[in-house]
């Protein structure tokens, strides 16, 4: 009887152990299944929300769509490698939050790229940038397309002409300009023209950017500040040799907009009206044997040619520096006119042509560098720097 009870007890213990082992095995199997299926991120599709993509923005849009795919792949990889790390908010703080920030930046870049050439798309950036989790690795959203169809040029919204700036004429308000101040006045009048050209170019390249005050804050305001400085310099230059003109600087410096590109103000003349002293001085110099009455020589500079295809990212800077080359020529011609009879035989070479070559070399180097940031850098543009004289 005693042996029979011991035997039964042994069988009971063995049975309990077997059940425990079986349950443990089931638990391990469940845990193993959980470990093998990490969640994945599920992000809204962006490409379909962009609308018509202008041809000029196509490359940048495709780059950023591909970047969105890369960001999702990186987040999914991080979910796998960090499984079990951190507390309950780890995934939100370490993966989904940073992913949203990256997507916001990429989506805003795409909207800005489209807005430079067409109407800027009104996107719900917050909703498009926010990703959720697919538990157990299911239901990953289809990747963004990495090629978009460019819209025909004629069909782009907002394709009308950009506005242009309309600025008051300054030269006529200066009055009589003494001969001693003429070179500085001519330089600053030319600078006013350059400033207007730069503002008009900025209006074209920034179409669709910013809010309702963007043009005032980013273009018209800075343009006014530059014009105030140039107009004050001219008044001061005249005041050194004659009565300083009493100018309404604020009114002369303030520019408005011509909508749709119409009615741009005539450019400032780049040669100021001379004072009564100019004729007397010229005649006196001529009587003393100095050249003074003849037509002043002008500089003859080679046209910059053979530039490669200019990347979109460099186009604005290249155009600005090409415009600067023209301004430098105008300044040199004004200097030649205002210094007739000055200096010795090497005066023009040392005081005008030499400095002009240095300025042109620096400007041409900036053009090379701007192109080289996004394409093959052109070499040897310095060959266009030296200028000669047209007698």
């Amino acid at each position: 009887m005693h042996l029979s009870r011991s035997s039964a007890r042994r069988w009971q213990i063995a049975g309990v152990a077997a059940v425990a082992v079986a349950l443990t095995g089931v638990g391990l199997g469940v845990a193993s299944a959980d470990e093998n299926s990490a969640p994945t991120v599920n992000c809204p599709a962006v490409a379909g929300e962009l609308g018509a993509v202008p041809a000029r923005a196509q490359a940048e849009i495709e780059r950023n769509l591909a970047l969105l795919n890369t960001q999702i792949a990186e987040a999914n990889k991080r979910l796998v490698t960090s499984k079990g790390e951190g507390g309950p908010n780890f995934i939100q703080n370490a993966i989904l939050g940073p992913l949203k920030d990256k997507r916001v930046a990429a989506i805003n870049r795409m909207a800005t790229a489209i807005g430079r050439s067409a109407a800027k798309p009104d996107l719900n950036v917050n909703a498009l940038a926010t990703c959720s989790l697919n538990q157990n690795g299911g239901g990953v959203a289809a990747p963004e397309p990495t090629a978009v169809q460019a819209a025909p040029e004629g069909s782009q919204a907002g394709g009308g002409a950009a506005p242009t700036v309309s600025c008051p004429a300054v030269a006529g308000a200066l009055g009589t300009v003494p001969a001693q101040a003429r070179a500085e006045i001519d330089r600053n009048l030319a600078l006013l023209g350059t400033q207007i050209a730069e503002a008009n170019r900025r209006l074209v390249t920034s179409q669709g950017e910013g809010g309702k005050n963007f043009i005032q804050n980013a273009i018209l305001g800075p343009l006014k500040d530059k014009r105030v400085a140039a107009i004050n310099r001219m008044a001061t230059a005249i005041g050194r040799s004659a009565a300083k003109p009493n100018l309404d600087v604020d009114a002369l410096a303030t520019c408005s907009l011509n909508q749709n590109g119409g009615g741009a103000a005539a450019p400032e003349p780049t040669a100021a009206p001379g004072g009564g002293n100019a004729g007397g001085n010229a005649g006196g110099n001529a009587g003393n044997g100095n050249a003074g009455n003849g037509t002043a020589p002008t500089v003859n500079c080679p046209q910059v040619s053979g530039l490669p295809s200019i990347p979109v990212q460099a186009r604005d800077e290249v155009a600005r520096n090409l415009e600067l080359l023209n301004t430098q020529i105008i300044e040199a011609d004004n200097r030649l006119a205002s210094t007739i009879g000055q200096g010795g035989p090497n005066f023009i070479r040392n005081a005008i042509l030499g400095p002009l070559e240095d300025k042109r070399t620096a400007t041409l180097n900036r053009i090379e560098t701007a192109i080289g940031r996004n394409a093959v850098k052109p070499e040897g543009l310095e060959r266009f720097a030296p200028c000669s004289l047209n007698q």
Side-chain angles (χ1 to χ4, degrees):
M1 189 74 175
H2 175 73
L3 287 174
S4 172
R5 275 201 296 264
S6 297
S7 177
R9 189 175 181 123
R10 280 197 297 273
W11 280 110
Q12 286 176 348
I13 293 171
V16 170
V19 169
V21 169
L23 289 175
T24 303
V26 170
L28 289 173
V30 171
S32 177
D34 283 344
E35 285 174 6
N36 287 337
S37 52
T40 55
V41 294
N42 183 11
C43 302
V46 175
E49 303 298 319
L50 298 176
V53 176
R56 280 174 287 187
Q58 187 176 358
E60 189 165 354
I61 298 302
E62 290 174 348
R63 263 199 312 276
N64 280 284
L65 288 174
L67 183 59
L68 292 179
N69 292 336
T70 301
Q71 292 165 354
I72 290 173
E74 290 173 347
N76 284 334
K77 194 180 311 173
R78 182 92 169 93
L79 284 166
V80 171
T81 59
S82 64
K83 194 163 174 61
E85 290 183 18
N89 296 320
F90 174 80
I91 290 178
Q92 180 58 46
N93 296 337
I95 300 176
L96 291 183
L99 174 61
K100 179 179 179 178
D101 293 340
K102 294 175 187 175
R103 286 174 63 84
V104 165
I107 293 167
N108 281 334
R109 282 195 298 270
M110 288 189 277
T112 299
I114 293 171
R116 292 191 188 105
S117 308
K120 185 176 181 179
D122 185 18
L123 303 174
N124 186 344
V125 176
N126 186 66
L128 290 172
T130 303
C131 302
S132 58
L133 279 188
N134 297 308
Q135 295 299 336
N136 301 324
V140 181
E144 298 286 351
T146 54
V148 294
Q149 186 67 39
E153 289 293 333
S155 68
Q156 291 168 17
T164 55
V165 295
S166 176
C167 302
V170 175
L174 297 176
T176 300
V177 177
Q180 300 94 318
R182 197 178 309 157
E184 189 166 353
I185 299 302
D186 290 347
R187 259 198 315 276
N188 280 284
L189 288 174
L191 183 58
L192 291 178
T194 300
Q195 292 166 353
I196 290 173
E198 289 175 349
N200 284 334
R201 190 160 48 243
R202 182 88 171 95
L203 286 166
V204 172
T205 59
S206 65
Q207 271 189 295
E209 289 185 20
K212 58 182 179 178
N213 296 319
F214 174 80
I215 290 178
Q216 179 59 47
N217 295 337
I219 300 175
L220 291 182
L223 174 61
K224 179 178 178 178
D225 294 340
K226 294 175 186 174
R227 287 174 62 84
V228 165
I231 293 167
N232 282 333
R233 282 195 298 270
M234 288 189 278
T236 300
I238 292 171
R240 292 192 190 104
S241 307
K244 185 176 180 179
N246 185 21
L247 303 173
D248 186 348
V249 176
D250 187 74
L252 289 172
T254 303
C255 302
S256 58
L257 280 187
N258 297 307
Q259 294 298 334
N260 298 323
E268 296 285 351
T270 53
N277 290 335
N281 288 343
N285 287 340
N288 291 330
N290 294 330
N293 274 336
T295 303
T298 55
V299 294
N300 181 14
C301 301
Q303 188 74 24
V304 177
S305 59
L307 288 178
S309 179
I310 298 172
V312 174
Q313 302 94 320
R315 204 170 291 161
D316 193 44
E317 187 171 352
V318 171
R320 206 165 41 241
N321 280 287
L322 289 173
E323 183 74 30
L324 182 57
L325 291 175
N326 292 332
T327 301
Q328 292 164 353
I329 291 172
I330 291 168
E331 291 174 349
D333 284 341
N334 291 336
R335 183 95 167 96
L336 284 166
S338 64
T339 59
I340 291 182
Q342 289 186 14
N346 295 320
F347 174 80
I348 290 177
R349 162 53 57 189
N350 297 336
I352 300 175
L353 291 182
L356 174 60
E357 181 174 344
D358 294 340
K359 292 177 187 175
R360 286 174 62 84
T361 297
T363 304
L364 291 164
N365 283 335
R366 283 195 296 271
I367 292 173
E368 289 180 344
T369 301
I371 294 172
R373 290 192 191 104
N374 299 283
V376 177
K377 182 179 177 181
E379 299 291 347
L381 293 186
E382 296 87 352
R383 67 185 181 278
F384 298 113
C387 301
S388 57
L389 280 187
N390 295 309
Q391 294 297 335

